[in-house]
Every structure is written in structure tokens, then in C-alpha cells.
Amino acid sequence: MSGIDIETKRKLREMGAAPMLEALEAQDETLVLGMAFEERLRLVVDEAHSGFNHAKVEGLIRRAGLRYPGADLRRLDLVDERGLDRNVIAQLGTCSFIERQQNVVFQGFTGSGKSYLGCALAKQACQHRIRAHYVRMPDLEEAWALAKDKPQGQTKFLNKYAAFTLLVIDEWLLDHPDEGMRSMLLELLERRYDTASTVFCTQYAKKDWHQRLGSGVHADAIMDRIVHNTIWVDTGNHNMRQHATMKQ
């Protein structure tokens, strides 16, 4: 199949079948000699589809905005020392919690690897061809403030963040959200409730959330949309930043 004429190549590219063309041209004639046409075509399609999937996944990872693009659930350090449950991590890696629209909370001391775990989970979702996004709470707050000054800005903001199948919010409740931010969080989480999964990375235990959310009706409503049907993971008190430095 290596002797494809120029016009056929042009037509394949015009139809958006460039990966198929590349797979055809890369096929080793000596290895496929004597194969039936259908078998050679199957090999070409398999190769082109593999390349398509790889490009799709890489694009999803790039657009997810991960703080740690190299994060990987399969390469976690000090799993036992940190008290991480291997079975829970393995289950999270299947991304089945997303199919069930469950949330995940990574809670632990500063430097305990919460951000890494959040990014690793988002990356795992991307590898399952699930649209994921990572954002720090302070950046989310800044984006919301900027949206207020634009025509339809608040609606577009909510539509954007509600649409991600998996949303990772890092540094959750690092600062006390004001009334406007609490209203936004309630609306966002209401839109995502039972339709998508949200990962929260925080240094604050669940018992502290209500007070940090203002202790009012907004706090009640926000908590109600998070705490049920949620997987809680304690990341311990090991300083993983210090550990990473010592490994270098």
C-alpha cells in the first residue's frame, strides 16, 4: 500500500483521514506481504485509531490546566506511610466514581500531596477521554470577579465550570468566601449535583467547612450538595514537598 498516488493522498487529507494515510505509509511492506487486503486494512485502522486516541487524550490533558501535568496515580510515594488506602486509590483510578457522579475530597496537612492527587485524578480522567479541569480556589474567585464586569459574564462562567465532567478545585476554602462567592458556589454546585463529579483538595477537615463558609444558609446548602455521596481521602501529614526535594 506504499505506492499511493498523489491524488488519493490529497483526497484522504481532504476527508480528514490524515492519520489513516500516515498509518498506510508507515506500514512495512515486508511484514504484511501475503496478507489479505482486509487484514492489512484492519492493521492500518488499528494504528490510525491508536494515534487518534493518543492525540485526543493529550489534548484533554493539555486543556485541563493541570498544576502537575506529570502526576500519576500509579507513581505515588510513601503510600503506606501516609495512610493512603491502596484499594481506594485503585478504585479512583478506574474513574467509576465519575459514572456515579460522586465527589472526592482530598484532605490533609499543607504539603501532604493533595494537589498532586487531584491532578493525577484529573489526568486519569483525561486518559479515559473524560473532560476534566483543574483550578485553584483563589483563581476561581478571581475569574468570578472578572466575569461580573462582562456582558453575560456570570452566565458564561457558570456554564463553563458546570460543563466539566470532572472539576478539581484545589485550595478549597483557603480563604473565607464572601457572600457573592458563596452564592456562586451554591449555584455552581447545584448545577453539578447528580450530573458531574467534583474533587476538592483542602487542608481543612469537614467539621471546619461550615464555619469557613459563613455558617449561614448558604453554608448549609453548599455542604448539603457536597458531603453526601462523597469519597473522603485523608492524605496524612507527611510533607511531600520536602520528600520530593530529598529525592533529587
Side-chain angles (χ1 to χ4, degrees):
M1 291 188 185
S2 59
I4 306 172
D5 63 85
I6 294 175
E7 182 62 11
T8 300
K9 290 181 180 180
R10 183 191 68 78
K11 289 176 180 177
L12 283 168
R13 292 194 180 95
E14 188 176 293
M15 293 187 297
M20 180 79 78
L21 175 59
E22 291 169 4
L24 279 166
E25 293 182 324
Q27 199 169 65
D28 191 326
E29 290 291 330
T30 60
L31 295 178
V32 298
L33 189 65
M35 279 188 181
F37 172 80
E38 293 81 0
E39 183 65 15
R40 293 185 68 174
L41 181 60
R42 183 186 66 78
L43 292 175
V44 167
V45 171
D46 285 349
E47 180 65 25
H49 188 259
S50 176
F52 171 80
N53 274 335
H54 180 75
K56 179 77 172 179
V57 168
E58 289 300 305
L60 286 169
I61 293 173
R62 185 174 61 255
R63 290 189 293 274
L66 304 181
R67 183 176 181 178
Y68 300 111
D72 193 329
L73 286 178
R74 298 167 300 179
R75 294 199 296 268
L76 299 179
D77 291 338
L78 304 180
V79 172
D80 296 325
E81 292 86 344
R82 296 157 72 186
L84 296 176
D85 189 321
R86 292 181 183 273
N87 290 328
V88 171
I89 297 299
Q91 280 298 312
L92 289 176
T94 68
C95 292
S96 58
F97 74 96
I98 300 176
E99 297 173 11
R100 298 189 296 269
Q101 292 86 47
Q102 287 182 285
N103 297 323
V104 178
V105 174
F106 291 119
Q107 189 272 318
F109 286 82
T110 299
S112 61
K114 304 179 296 294
S115 301
Y116 184 96
L117 283 164
C119 288
L121 201 52
K123 184 176 180 181
Q124 190 75 4
C126 291
Q127 290 169 341
H128 281 76
R129 296 184 64 175
I130 295 169
R131 191 163 174 248
H133 188 71
Y134 167 94
V135 65
R136 295 171 57 249
M137 182 95 168
D139 294 334
L140 189 70
E141 189 168 4
E142 183 178 350
W144 175 244
L146 292 173
K148 295 177 185 178
D149 299 327
K150 299 177 181 178
Q152 298 296 310
Q154 295 182 354
T155 299
K156 291 178 181 177
F157 174 97
L158 288 167
N159 288 342
K160 172 184 175 180
Y161 286 99
F164 294 114
T165 308
L166 179 68
L167 177 64
V168 178
I169 304 179
D170 197 4
E171 299 179 7
W172 170 249
L173 300 183
L174 180 64
D175 299 313
H176 291 265
D178 60 20
E179 184 176 352
M181 187 68 175
R182 290 195 296 269
S183 296
M184 181 279 289
L185 288 171
L186 176 57
E187 178 62 25
L188 176 60
L189 294 172
E190 170 62 25
R191 293 189 184 200
R192 296 183 59 78
Y193 187 74
D194 274 349
T195 63
S197 295
T198 307
V199 176
F200 302 89
C201 305
T202 181
Q203 68 187 61
Y204 296 101
K206 181 170 61 174
K207 64 181 179 63
D208 299 322
W209 288 21
H210 194 267
Q211 184 271 331
R212 297 194 71 78
L213 285 165
S215 302
V217 292
H218 279 111
D220 293 337
I222 291 170
M223 291 285 291
D224 186 61
R225 285 157 180 79
I226 297 176
V227 298
H228 306 298
N229 201 30
T230 292
I231 301 168
W232 299 80
V233 179
D234 188 337
T235 59
N237 55 14
H238 273 75
N239 191 318
M240 298 308 294
R241 293 195 187 97
Q242 184 179 32
H243 173 73
T245 302
M246 291 174 64
K247 282 180 61 178
Q248 295 175 357

